[in-house]
Amino acid sequence: MVAPCRCPAVLRLTARAERLDGAAQMLAGLGWPFTIDRPEKLRDEVRALAARLLADADADADADADADADADSDAR
């Protein structure tokens, strides 16, 4: 259920979810800033998702750097 707020450009979303990790992915996928009022465990899931995304982004950067280094070595 979505309820209007008196604040400009603010929308309050009230939802039920079987899995909080899925709710975290949905919120992140919106592409808009958001604030979690409750439950605290949803905040934990959003943090865990953020950590996984950062680790994946860093892993890709590390793999790209290794591939570039290998290509430079082969060129010599």
Side-chain angles (χ1 to χ4, degrees):
M1 179 173 119
V2 177
C5 179
R6 293 182 186 153
C7 307
V10 173
L11 180 72
R12 177 175 292 273
L13 171 68
T14 303
R16 293 177 189 236
E18 288 186 29
R19 296 182 50 163
L20 292 178
D21 60 337
Q25 293 172 18
M26 184 271 302
L27 288 170
L30 292 175
W32 302 322
F34 58 87
T35 301
I36 299 168
D37 291 332
R38 59 183 167 89
E40 183 65 34
K41 288 185 178 186
L42 179 55
R43 278 192 200 97
D44 296 340
E45 287 295 337
V46 170
R47 287 184 192 106
L49 175 59
R52 288 192 304 272
L53 291 171
L54 286 169
D56 290 346
D58 290 344
D60 288 345
D62 292 343
D64 290 344
D66 291 343
D68 290 344
D70 291 343
D72 288 344
S73 295
D74 293 342
R76 292 180 195 168

